[in-house]
Amino acid sequence: MTAVQGTAVDIPTEDGTADAYLAHPGDGRAHPAVLFYTDAFGLRPHLRSMADRLAGAGYTVLVPNVFHRHGRAPVVELPEFIDAASRQDLFAHLGPIMRELTPELAMRDAGAWLRWLAQCPAAADGPVAVTGYCMGARLSLLTAGTYPARVAAAAGFHGGRLATEEPDSPHLVAGNVTAELYFGHADEDPSLPPEQIARLEEALTEAGVRHRCEVYAGARHGYTQADTDVYDREAAERHWAALLDLLKRTF
């Protein structure tokens, strides 16, 4: 692990300025870029620490506030530790905000994130990788399908609603994806039942997408998030190994 520099940055979008966190090795050189999508709780200390860990492995990592239309992160007040009781109250506020972030708006923003990275001195020229958590896994897949020329690899962990029967389901972009994909599904995840896992696998296979989908036995939705009561250290470390392996093959 190398020394990491982390800074707050502002990114212009078509709908105003978005706040974000940028982490990169502190060696003054350009490194391969990773666009990092948060879970619904958004940009906060734990997500910054995850970005720092990824940057320490040799990458320039951008973590945007995808809810920027509702203010700077955090858009709702967060406790230091998120348990079942606080989660229920938080989602009462976050639910409507999440629903307002339509795929169309999210992908319009994705164009802004990618343009910013293309101009960032700390980011190497060429395509980027994308990783996402919970709802961020959906955004990761959508970004790979919407900007195939810019995304070389995409990963998603404990993602929900990846392959629904809705007309805007993320799995429907599979035919546009040229990146290599990896998904680490949570075993105990009501937001991604077995039929959706099978539907996603079928869509990726039929489209000829290079991919690997794994179910992490015993892991619950949100298993990578150490500031929550669903954190699973073993599953989280497995996620790091899988993500870094994907990035190593990509760059």
Side-chain angles (χ1 to χ4, degrees):
M1 298 288 285
T2 60
V4 168
Q5 181 177 341
T7 55
V9 297
D10 285 340
I11 300 176
T13 78
E14 294 183 39
D15 299 306
T17 300
D19 53 312
Y21 179 70
L22 180 72
H24 56 87
D27 56 9
R29 294 159 41 197
H31 292 267
V34 180
L35 174 59
F36 185 123
Y37 284 123
T38 72
D39 61 3
F41 301 126
L43 187 52
R44 61 193 191 279
H46 173 61
L47 272 296
R48 293 184 182 91
S49 70
M50 290 182 70
D52 288 348
R53 177 169 175 174
L54 193 52
Y59 302 97
T60 291
V61 186
L62 179 67
V63 191
N65 170 19
V66 299
F67 297 142
H68 63 91
R69 293 172 182 83
H70 295 269
R72 301 181 75 83
V75 296
V76 300
E77 186 175 352
L78 298 172
E80 290 187 11
F81 186 78
I82 301 169
D83 58 15
S86 57
R87 184 180 291 106
Q88 183 176 2
D89 181 63
L90 288 170
F91 272 104
H93 296 89
L94 286 169
I97 295 173
M98 293 172 63
R99 288 189 289 273
E100 287 182 26
L101 186 65
T102 64
E104 179 183 6
L105 288 178
M107 291 305 97
R108 192 159 76 196
D109 286 344
W113 318 142
L114 294 171
R115 287 191 298 273
W116 192 89
L117 281 170
Q119 300 170 0
C120 176
D125 293 338
V128 308
V130 187
T131 188
Y133 301 83
C134 299
M135 71 161 199
R138 300 178 76 248
L139 300 181
S140 181
L141 177 53
L142 286 169
T143 302
T146 305
Y147 299 95
R150 290 286 288 126
V151 178
F157 299 93
H158 46 80
R161 299 181 57 78
L162 293 173
T164 71
E165 295 181 343
E166 299 299 319
D168 60 355
S169 176
H171 80 288
L172 297 176
V173 305
N176 299 328
V177 173
T178 57
E180 181 177 351
L181 305 184
Y182 177 88
F183 290 97
H185 304 310
D187 184 24
E188 301 176 19
D189 192 347
S191 69
L192 194 75
E195 58 268 24
Q196 285 198 41
I197 293 176
R199 189 179 292 131
L200 174 63
E201 178 72 38
E202 181 180 4
L204 297 177
T205 300
E206 288 185 354
V209 177
R210 292 167 297 151
H211 71 281
R212 185 175 182 182
C213 297
E214 298 183 314
V215 176
Y216 290 20
R220 292 186 287 171
H221 182 83
Y223 61 76
T224 62
Q225 304 303 300
D227 58 352
T228 77
D229 60 356
V230 293
Y231 175 66
D232 183 319
R233 186 180 184 280
E234 182 178 349
E237 290 304 313
R238 179 179 174 183
H239 129 269
W240 281 115
L243 177 58
L244 291 172
D245 182 59
L246 175 66
L247 296 178
K248 184 178 180 179
R249 292 196 304 273
T250 302
F251 298 117

